[in-house]
């Protein structure tokens, strides 16, 4: 999954419609619902290409810098099975996936039923860190339908659900260039505008992406061997949607409607 969107040629200036509210404060806004866009207007996003890098660099507002730093702090946390908070999150994930079923422990064959590769889920968190568990738990609590398939195509675990979730976290971190000091793609810069208005934007985008991946999987009649192909198709579609000119918040993404299905 190395193909990144948004690379470009020489220096240029791009004009996109963004919220004027992003320039107001120096802190990201914590919201429990949709991103709130308080003002609209045309703003110039100046893009400069550095001699040492093939990709442009985007300047950030102080609010965007602060929100990005908070998200990067989450990304930097590795999963540690000895930390009570991490244990509780894993237990909560089990309770969301299999409500009412007896929990046999943090290490048991039981976890394979959720799509982990072995009996110890912590081994699968190495690629995504603790944030990948947080993402899965957020998804399970807010959109549990994929965790409880009952009819038709939904009756089978067509792909390893939990491992797919960890891969989605990793893919989004790479696609949005979230480990860089500043975004170097239009996709990453666009996402930071959403993040500055809603600090749950990454978790919400994760849910959208998971639903999109599931939709792609069913549409392609994919098998386990097609997983990488489905992930690449999901990423391409998500990048296209994020770059549409009329996208001013995550709720405007065409794939957002999948959350209500």
């Amino acid at each position: 999954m190395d193909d990144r969107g948004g690379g470009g040629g020489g220096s240029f200036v791009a004009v996109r419609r963004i919220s004027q509210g992003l320039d107001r404060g120096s802190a990201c806004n914590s919201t429990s619902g949709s991103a709130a866009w308080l003002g609209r207007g045309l703003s110039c996003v100046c893009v400069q290409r550095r001699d040492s890098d093939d990709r442009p660099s985007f300047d950030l507002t102080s609010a965007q810098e602060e929100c990005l730093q908070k998200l990067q702090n989450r990304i930097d946390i590795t999963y540690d099975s000895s930390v009570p908070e991490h244990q509780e999150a894993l237990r909560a994930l089990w309770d969301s996936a299999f409500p009412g079923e007896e929990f046999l422990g943090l290490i048991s064959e039981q976890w394979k039923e959720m799509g982990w590769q072995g009996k110890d889920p912590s081994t699968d968190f190495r690629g995504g860190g603790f944030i990948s568990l947080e993402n899965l738990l957020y998804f399970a609590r807010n959109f549990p339908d994929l965790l409880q398939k009952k009819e038709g195509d939904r009756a089978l675990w067509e792909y390893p659900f939990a491992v797919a979730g960890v891969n989605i976290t990793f893919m989004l971190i790479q696609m949005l260039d979230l480990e860089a000091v500043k975004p170097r793609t239009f996709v990453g810069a666009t996402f930071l505008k959403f993040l500055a208005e809603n600090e749950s934007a990454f978790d919400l985008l994760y849910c959208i992406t998971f639903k999109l991946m599931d939709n792609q999987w069913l549409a392609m009649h994919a098998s386990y061997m097609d997983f990488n192909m489905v992930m690449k198709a999901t990423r391409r579609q998500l990048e296209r949607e994020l770059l549409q000119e009329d996208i001013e918040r995550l709720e405007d993404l065409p794939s957002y409607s999948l959350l209500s299905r």
Side-chain angles (χ1 to χ4, degrees), residues 198-234:
N198 181 1
E199 65 177 12
S200 296
F202 185 76
D203 301 277
L204 179 58
L205 183 60
Y206 173 90
C207 296
I208 296 171
T209 306
F210 210 129
K211 284 279 198 169
L212 178 59
M213 185 277 295
D214 182 75
N215 192 63
Q216 295 270 15
W217 185 280
L218 296 178
M220 296 168 66
H221 303 286
S223 67
Y224 183 81
M225 298 301 294
D226 299 320
F227 183 76
N228 286 338
M229 181 173 63
V230 173
M231 288 294 292
K232 289 180 180 179
T234 300

Side-chain angles (χ1 to χ4, degrees), residues 10-26:
S11 300
F12 59 94
V13 174
V15 178
R16 286 182 57 87
R17 179 179 292 274
I18 66 172
S19 168
Q20 293 175 336
L22 291 182
D23 295 322
R24 291 178 290 104
S26 61

